[in-house]
Amino acid sequence: MLTSKQRAYLRGLANGIETILYIGKGEITENIIKQADDALTARELIKGKTLENSSYSPRESAEIIAEGTSSEVVQVIGSKFVLYRQNPDEPVITLPKAKSK
């Protein structure tokens, strides 16, 4: 689970990346989940977009893909969404530490 500070850090990083995942009028298939999974393994942070002709809302798309890839939804703004999953073998992004109570 991401803290608000970590989420804010990831949102800042997401500003500079390009959208690589597009959800169109078809269903969210295993192929789309696999594409997102591969991208998350390589990059840890990906940006997706739900097109206007999709039967899914951007929030629904993000949550379905996040569930299928064991990732977390960082943000959903307009038609775009950002997903994050840390690579356990070769981490690329170092998150700010969560405060301990």
Side-chain angles (χ1 to χ4, degrees):
M1 191 71 178
L2 294 171
T3 66
S4 59
K5 188 174 188 177
Q6 292 169 333
R7 199 174 296 278
Y9 176 74
L10 291 171
R11 281 196 308 263
L13 291 177
N15 283 336
I17 66 173
E18 290 190 34
T19 304
I20 61 166
L21 192 65
Y22 292 91
I23 309 303
K25 65 181 177 181
E27 294 289 313
I28 295 177
T29 62
E30 287 299 316
N31 193 23
I32 292 173
I33 300 289
K34 171 97 172 81
Q35 181 184 359
D37 190 54
D38 292 346
L40 283 163
T41 300
R43 303 173 183 217
E44 294 185 333
L45 189 68
I46 63 169
K47 191 184 290 184
K49 181 175 182 172
T50 304
L51 303 176
E52 288 182 21
N53 61 355
S54 176
S55 58
Y56 298 100
S57 73
R59 171 67 62 185
E60 289 171 328
S61 298
E63 289 176 357
I64 291 168
I65 294 169
E67 185 178 321
T69 59
S70 301
S71 61
E72 294 196 51
V73 178
V74 175
Q75 76 174 356
V76 178
I77 293 184
S79 62
K80 294 191 178 182
F81 57 89
V82 177
L83 302 176
Y84 170 77
R85 183 183 72 205
Q86 184 175 27
N87 184 333
D89 301 326
E90 298 176 22
V92 176
I93 299 171
T94 305
L95 292 176
K97 297 287 183 218
K99 291 182 182 176
S100 57
K101 292 182 179 181

